[in-house]
Amino acid sequence: QVQLVESGGGSVQVGGSLRLSCVASGDTYSTYSMGWFRQAPGKEREGVACIDSDGSTNYADSVKGRFTISQDNAKNTLYLQMNSLKPEDAAMYYCAADRLMGWVFATASVLNALDACSQGTLVTVSS
């Protein structure tokens, strides 16, 4: 079992930056792919980024080059650095873990059933 506690959301202007953090407990990095998905009102869940158990990173095309996922194994903490934020990035962001590697590219039905998920944090982007 994996437990995830997320923090770091907030409000930012277009072009600004935010960093999300996620503290994980349990058998995490050696077993799971860790990352984030997001969900905007009225829309399906969308994978954002994940780090697989071999350390490889995966990004949705919509955030590639702007977002960076990283992990600090000593602190059991996952980070998502979000730069050059756009209005379409506004959503609830959830830290998640699943045994499926590369789950960021999965369909919404798969994202709805990930092994573990945080409580979510709201990101708003204003122009």
Side-chain angles (χ1 to χ4, degrees):
Q1 282 289 346
V2 179
Q3 290 78 44
L4 304 168
V5 178
E6 182 180 12
S7 61
S11 181
V12 65
Q13 291 190 325
V14 171
S17 298
L18 282 174
R19 189 177 79 159
L20 306 183
S21 300
C22 177
V23 178
S25 59
D27 183 13
T28 54
Y29 304 120
S30 64
T31 304
Y32 293 91
S33 174
M34 308 287 296
W36 270 271
F37 67 88
R38 64 189 181 188
Q39 189 167 22
K43 294 190 176 181
E44 293 185 325
R45 291 183 174 184
E46 175 191 20
V48 176
C50 67
I51 296 182
D52 291 344
S53 57
D54 66 356
S56 59
T57 57
N58 305 280
Y59 295 93
D61 287 344
S62 58
V63 307
K64 201 173 294 183
R66 299 186 298 121
F67 291 13
T68 302
I69 190 170
S70 61
Q71 62 190 29
D72 184 333
N73 291 348
K75 296 181 179 179
N76 285 335
T77 301
L78 191 70
Y79 301 100
L80 184 69
Q81 178 67 42
M82 304 185 293
N83 298 330
S84 303
L85 283 160
K86 304 176 180 180
E88 53 263 41
D89 294 319
M92 284 291 289
Y93 281 72
Y94 299 86
C95 178
D98 199 85
R99 290 175 177 86
L100 174 66
M101 299 297 117
W103 57 259
V104 68
F105 303 116
T107 61
S109 60
V110 173
L111 297 178
N112 287 337
L114 297 173
D115 290 338
C117 180
S118 69
Q119 77 281 8
T121 189
L122 183 63
V123 171
T124 59
V125 183
S126 58
S127 56

